[in-house]
Amino acid sequence: MQFTAQQIAGLINATIQGNPQTVVSSFNNIEAATKGDLTFMGNAKYNEALLKSKASIILIGKDMVPDQPLKATLLVVEDAYAAFATLLQIYQQMHVEGLKGVEEPAFVAESARLGENIYIGAFTYINNRSSIGKNTKIYPGCYLGENVTVGENTVIYAGVKIYHDSVIGSNVIIHAGAVIGADGFGFVPDKAGIYKKIPQIGNVIIEDDVEIGANTCIDRATLNATVIKKGTKVDNLVQLAHNVVVGEHTGIAAQVGVSGSTQIGAHSMIAGQVGIAGHLKLPERLVVTAQSGVSKLSDTPGQIVSGSPAFAMRDHLKSNVFFRRLPELEKRIAELEKALEKSKNG
Amino acid sequence: MQFTAQQIAGLINATIQGNPQTVVSSFNNIEAATKGDLTFMGNAKYNEALLKSKASIILIGKDMVPDQPLKATLLVVEDAYAAFATLLQIYQQMHVEGLKGVEEPAFVAESARLGENIYIGAFTYINNRSSIGKNTKIYPGCYLGENVTVGENTVIYAGVKIYHDSVIGSNVIIHAGAVIGADGFGFVPDKAGIYKKIPQIGNVIIEDDVEIGANTCIDRATLNATVIKKGTKVDNLVQLAHNVVVGEHTGIAAQVGVSGSTQIGAHSMIAGQVGIAGHLKLPERLVVTAQSGVSKLSDTPGQIVSGSPAFAMRDHLKSNVFFRRLPELEKRIAELEKALEKSKNG
Amino acid sequence: MQFTAQQIAGLINATIQGNPQTVVSSFNNIEAATKGDLTFMGNAKYNEALLKSKASIILIGKDMVPDQPLKATLLVVEDAYAAFATLLQIYQQMHVEGLKGVEEPAFVAESARLGENIYIGAFTYINNRSSIGKNTKIYPGCYLGENVTVGENTVIYAGVKIYHDSVIGSNVIIHAGAVIGADGFGFVPDKAGIYKKIPQIGNVIIEDDVEIGANTCIDRATLNATVIKKGTKVDNLVQLAHNVVVGEHTGIAAQVGVSGSTQIGAHSMIAGQVGIAGHLKLPERLVVTAQSGVSKLSDTPGQIVSGSPAFAMRDHLKSNVFFRRLPELEKRIAELEKALEKSKNG
C-alpha cells in the first residue's frame, strides 16, 4: 500500500512543504527511516537527526520546522506525535478491515447469538448460550465456553481460551493464548495432607477498554467474580488469581503475579515480575517497581514501593546502597572492636 | 436452574427450619448473598453477618443456629462447610454432564483407542496409538501427540498440548493452554560457543489426582521421565524442567520455576514465583515462601525457608528487619568512629 | 522399534565386543538402564556403575574399556558421548519422518506459498501471503497470520500463534503455545490517566537455528523489528518485549523477562527468572545468575552479575554472607555502644 503526501495531509489536516506527490509505504523512526518511509519529528533533541534523515516524508510540529530546506517533504501539524499515532491507527485498522463472517470450519452452537458485522475465524469454538456483540472479531482457534458474553468492537486474537460464564466488555483486546476463567487454585488439605478441590463456580468480568496480554491467565472466582475494571492494561504472562479485583486504568506489566482476593486500586502501575500477596486491599495510584514483593502496605494513595517485602522506594534505595557495602561495614565494626580491645588493654 | 430447600436438604441430609419451598439459583458468601442465593455459616465470627444476611437459604452447623428467628430458611447440618463444598461439586458436575462423544470436526487417528463415555471436543487432535480412558473429557482445540496415554475420569480443558509418549493418570485435571512434554532445555556449546541440541527422548508422567494450571509447562525428560506424583496440585504459568520429580500431595503456586533434575519431596508447599535450582534433592514437607530462590538446603524435613538464596524463614525475617535499618546502622558505626577519634585525640 | 548391536555399530562406526545380535529398543543412563536399553559410558567416575550396569548395550570410549568381561555388549568408539548424541538424534528424527502433506481439515489461504515436502497439521491456519519453506513441519492447531515467512527445515509444534508480518528463519524450532508477534505493551496516559494505545506496527524476526520454548511470548516492535539472532536458545514462559534485540548464540532460561528496546549481547547466558530493564545496551558474553534484576551495567564484556539490582557476582556473594549475619552485626554495634557508654561514665 502506497500513499502520497497529499493523501496523508488530508487525513491529519497538515500543511505540505515540498512535493505533494511524494510516496511512502511504511513508517520508521527518524534515525532508521529511509526512502519510502514516513517518520515524525516531535522533540527538539532530534534536530540533528532531522537534518540527516533519509525519510521521504516527515511529520513535524509547526514550531520545529528548520530554516534550511530539507530533501524530505514536510507535513506541518500542531502535534507531530499525535498525528503520527493517528496514522498508525489508520494503518493498523486496515489489517482487520477485511475480517468478516464465520469462516469454515468453525463451531458455533445453535443457541449462540452473533451480532452484526462480526468475524469468527476457522477452528474457533463458540459454545451454547454465548453471545458476541457487533463488530467483534474472534481470530482462529479460540474457545468460548458456555454462556460467555462478549461486547462490541472487541478483538480476541488466535488461540484464546475463555471458560464458561465469563463476561468480556466492549473495545477489549485479548492477545493470543490468554486463558480467561480457569479454576482458581483452591484446595483444602485433609488430616493426611491430601488436597480436596474447592469447586470454583464464580466467573471473570473484564470491563470495557481493557487489554490483556498474550498467554496471561485470569482465574474465575470461587463464588463471585474476578474483575478487571475499565481501561486497565495487562501485559503478557501475568497471573491474576481468583477473586482479584483490579481497579480502573491500571497498568500491569509482564510476568506479574497477584494472589487470591487482593484488590488493586485504580490508576496503579505494577512493574514487571512483581508478586502481590493475597487478601490485600491496596490504595489507589500505587506504584510498585520491578521484581518487588508486596505483602502489606499502608492505605496512603500514590505510594511508590520497592523490594521484597516492599517498602518506600526512597528508603529501599538507601538500604540497597548499604547492602552493597556490607563487607566494608563489617570491616569498620571489626576495627572498632580492635580499637576498643586495645584501649582496654592499654 | 432453580432448587428448593427441600431438594437441597435431600442431597446433604439436612434438617429444614423455615419454608421448604424457598427457591435458590446461585451461591454466594454470607455477606454478599441476596435473594435467590444459598450461603453457609461455618464460623462463629460471622454471627453478626448471619443476622444481617439477605440469603434465601443458609447452610448452618447445628451448634450455630441462633435463638432468634431468621428470614432465611435454614438447612441444619453437622459440618456446614463440608455440606457447602458437596453442593458446589454437584453444581459443577452439571456443567460437564452433557459432554459426550466425538464432536465434528475432530481428528482421531485410526490407531487411537477411546474408552467408554468419553468426550472429545471439536478441533481436538488425537494422534496414532494414543489411548483415552473411560469417562475422560478432552475439550476443544487440544493436541495429543503419538502414543499419549490418558487415564479415566480425567478432564483436559481447551487448547492443552501434550507431546508424544506422555502418560496422564486418572482423575487428573489439566487447565487450558498447558503444555506437557515439550523438549527440555538441553544444549551443549561447542568451542566457538555455538549450541548443539541434546535430543530429549524421555517423557512426562502425571500420576492420578494431579491438577495442572493454565499455561503451565512441564518438559519431557532427556532420557527417563519427568514425574508429577499422585495428588500434587500445580497452579498457572509454572515451569517444571526436564527430569524434575515432584513428590506426592505437594502444592506449587503460580509462576514457580523448577530447574532440571531437581526432586521435590512429598507434602511440600512452594509459594508463588519461587525459583528452585537444578539437581537438588529436597526434603519432604518443605515450605518455601513467595519469591524465594532455593539453591541448597539441609535434609531436614518440614523446613520453612525464605529469601534468595533461601534460608530459615525465622532468620530471614530478622535479617530483613535490619536490612531496612541499614542506613541507621551505618550512622551508629559512624558515630562510634567519631567517638573513638575524639577519645584518641582527647 | 528394535535394533541390533551390529546395526547401531554401523551408524556410529563402532567396534563390537560381545554378541552383535544383542537387541535394544530404548535408551537410558548407566545406572537406570535395564535389559533392552542402550546406555553410554563417557566418564571414569562411572566405573563402578559400569560394572553393575544391567544395560544390554553400552557405548564406551576406547580408553575406558574395563579389563574384566561384562555381560553387556560393548560398542567401542572414540567419543562415547558424541556417539550417543548422534543416536538420540537419529531416534528423534524418526518421530517426524512420517509427517508430510496438508492434513484435513487445515485452512491454507490461496495466496499462501508452500515449499516442497512440508507438513501442515489439521486445524492449522495459514493466512494470506504467508510462505513456508521446504521440509518445514507445522503441527496441528497453529495460527500464522498474514504475510508470515517461515524458512526451511523449521519445526513449529502444536498451538503456536504467529502474528502477521513475522519472519521465521530456517532450522528454527518453536515449541507449543509460543506467541510470536503480539502487540508490544505500549500506551500513553492522557491527563486524566486514561491509557491510549500506541499501535504496534513493526514485526518479529527470528533468525536461523533459534529454538523458542513453550508458551514463550515475543512481542512485535512498535516500528521496526524485535530480533532474535542466529543460534540463540530461549526456554519456556519467557517474555521478550517490543524492540528487544537478542544477540547470536545466547541462552535465555525459563521465565526470564526482558523489557522494551533492550539489546542483549551475543554469547550471553541469562539464567531463570531474571528480569532486565528497558532501553539497555548490554555487553557481549554477559552472565546473569538466576532471579537477578539488571538495571544498569558497565560495557565490560564477559561480566558475571547477580542480585536485584545486579552487580558483580563475587561482590554480591559477599554482601549476601553479611546479610545473613545482620542480626549479629547489630549486636556487635550495640556492644560497642555499651562499652563506649561505660568508658564515658567510668
Side-chain angles (χ1 to χ4, degrees), chain C residues 54-70:
Chain C
K54 289 174 180 153
S56 295
I57 298 181
I58 300 174
L59 293 192
I60 191 162
K62 62 179 178 180
D63 50 338
M64 288 185 195
V65 178
D67 297 332
Q68 56 198 113
L70 297 175

Side-chain angles (χ1 to χ4, degrees), chain A residues 8 11-14 27 38-43 59-61 75-90, chain C residues 188 190 196-199:
Chain A
I8 296 164
L11 292 169
I12 53 172
N13 199 21
F27 297 91
L38 178 149
T39 191
F40 77 104
M41 162 75 182
N43 189 323
L59 292 192
I60 192 162
L75 295 179
V76 184
V77 291
E78 280 293 324
D79 180 342
Y81 187 71
F84 189 67
T86 300
L87 288 180
L88 290 180
Q89 268 150 19
I90 293 168
Chain C
V188 193
D190 69 10
K196 304 275 179 204
K197 183 173 177 70
I198 303 169

Side-chain angles (χ1 to χ4, degrees), chain B residues 30-341:
Chain B
I30 197 159
E31 283 158 329
T34 56
K35 191 170 150 60
D37 285 344
L38 179 149
T39 191
F40 76 106
M41 162 74 183
N43 190 322
K45 78 173 177 181
Y46 290 109
N47 267 330
E48 206 175 334
L50 172 67
L51 301 179
K52 289 182 191 162
S53 180
K54 290 176 180 150
S56 295
I57 298 180
I58 301 175
L59 293 192
I60 191 162
K62 62 179 179 180
D63 50 338
M64 289 185 194
V65 178
D67 298 330
Q68 57 199 113
L70 298 175
K71 278 185 191 160
T73 296
L74 300 185
L75 295 178
V76 185
V77 291
E78 282 291 325
D79 180 343
Y81 187 71
F84 189 67
T86 300
L87 288 181
L88 289 179
Q89 269 150 19
I90 293 168
Y91 179 88
Q92 204 179 40
Q93 202 66 26
M94 292 170 169
H95 268 290
V96 289
E97 275 304 286
L99 301 174
K100 260 172 210 173
V102 178
E103 245 170 29
E104 283 302 315
F107 184 107
V108 180
E110 271 193 39
S111 57
R113 292 181 306 277
L114 306 184
E116 285 169 29
N117 198 33
I118 54 110
Y119 166 64
I120 292 175
F123 315 128
T124 278
Y125 188 107
I126 312 280
N127 212 342
N128 300 317
R129 293 174 292 121
S130 284
S131 85
I132 316 292
K134 67 179 179 190
N135 301 321
T136 283
K137 300 183 193 317
I138 303 182
Y139 277 65
C142 289
Y143 168 80
L144 276 70
E146 291 197 345
N147 191 36
V148 169
T149 305
V150 183
E152 302 178 358
N153 302 304
T154 283
V155 178
I156 297 176
Y157 283 101
V160 169
K161 276 77 72 177
I162 304 180
Y163 283 55
H164 56 280
D165 301 330
S166 299
V167 178
I168 314 292
S170 292
N171 303 306
V172 168
I173 298 172
I174 304 181
H175 281 285
V179 177
I180 311 297
D183 285 351
F185 197 61
F187 303 92
V188 193
D190 68 11
K191 282 168 196 166
I194 294 169
Y195 290 108
K196 304 275 179 205
K197 182 173 178 69
I198 303 170
Q200 307 287 308
I201 66 158
N203 72 342
V204 173
I205 298 172
I206 293 177
E207 296 188 354
D208 295 349
D209 306 324
V210 166
E211 183 159 342
I212 303 292
N215 282 347
T216 277
C217 298
I218 305 177
D219 282 351
R220 69 194 308 108
T222 309
L223 288 177
N224 299 313
T226 304
V227 184
I228 315 300
K229 293 201 173 164
K230 190 178 162 67
T232 282
K233 310 298 182 184
V234 179
D235 201 353
N236 300 340
L237 292 166
V238 168
Q239 155 72 358
L240 300 176
H242 51 181
N243 316 316
V244 161
V245 177
V246 182
E248 292 85 354
H249 307 298
T250 280
I252 297 183
Q255 296 176 318
V256 163
V258 182
S259 305
S261 302
T262 280
Q263 297 180 35
I264 296 179
H267 295 285
S268 294
M269 291 174 61
I270 316 294
Q273 296 186 333
V274 162
I276 300 184
H279 299 276
L280 302 178
K281 192 170 188 300
L282 298 174
E284 297 202 346
R285 289 180 286 113
L286 176 65
V287 177
V288 186
T289 66
Q291 294 193 316
S292 297
V294 175
S295 54
K296 207 184 166 182
L297 291 180
S298 79
D299 290 346
T300 319
Q303 288 177 74
I304 307 178
V305 300
S306 292
S308 178
F311 54 96
M313 182 180 74
R314 203 178 7 184
D315 295 335
H316 189 261
L317 285 172
K318 286 181 199 155
S319 280
N320 255 336
V321 166
F322 290 111
F323 171 76
R324 220 161 149 157
R325 291 202 223 146
L326 271 178
E328 178 205 316
L329 290 190
E330 196 277 342
K331 210 173 278 175
R332 285 164 67 188
I333 295 170
E335 267 163 35
L336 284 164
E337 288 167 337
K338 231 185 290 171
L340 182 71
E341 197 60 28

Side-chain angles (χ1 to χ4, degrees), chain A residues 203-266:
Chain A
N203 72 343
V204 173
I205 299 172
I206 293 178
E207 295 188 355
D208 297 348
D209 306 324
V210 166
E211 183 158 341
I212 304 292
N215 282 347
T216 278
C217 297
I218 305 176
D219 281 351
R220 68 194 309 106
T222 310
L223 289 176
N224 299 312
T226 304
V227 185
I228 314 300
K229 293 201 172 164
K230 191 178 161 68
T232 281
K233 310 299 182 184
V234 180
D235 201 354
N236 300 340
L237 293 165
V238 168
Q239 155 72 357
L240 301 176
H242 51 180
N243 316 316
V244 161
V245 177
V246 182
E248 293 85 354
H249 308 297
T250 279
I252 297 182
Q255 296 176 319
V256 164
V258 183
S259 305
S261 302
T262 280
Q263 298 180 36
I264 295 179

Side-chain angles (χ1 to χ4, degrees), chain A residues 105-154:
Chain A
F107 183 107
V108 180
E110 273 193 38
S111 57
R113 293 181 306 277
L114 306 184
E116 285 170 29
N117 197 34
I118 53 109
Y119 166 65
I120 292 176
F123 315 128
T124 278
Y125 188 106
I126 312 280
N127 212 342
N128 300 317
R129 293 173 294 120
S130 284
S131 85
I132 316 292
K134 67 179 179 190
N135 301 321
T136 282
K137 299 182 194 315
I138 303 182
Y139 277 66
C142 289
Y143 168 80
L144 276 69
E146 291 198 345
N147 192 35
V148 169
T149 306
V150 183
E152 303 178 355
N153 302 305
T154 282

Side-chain angles (χ1 to χ4, degrees), chain C residues 251-270:
Chain C
I252 298 183
Q255 295 176 319
V256 164
V258 182
S259 304
S261 302
T262 280
Q263 298 180 37
I264 295 179
H267 295 285
S268 294
M269 291 175 62
I270 316 295

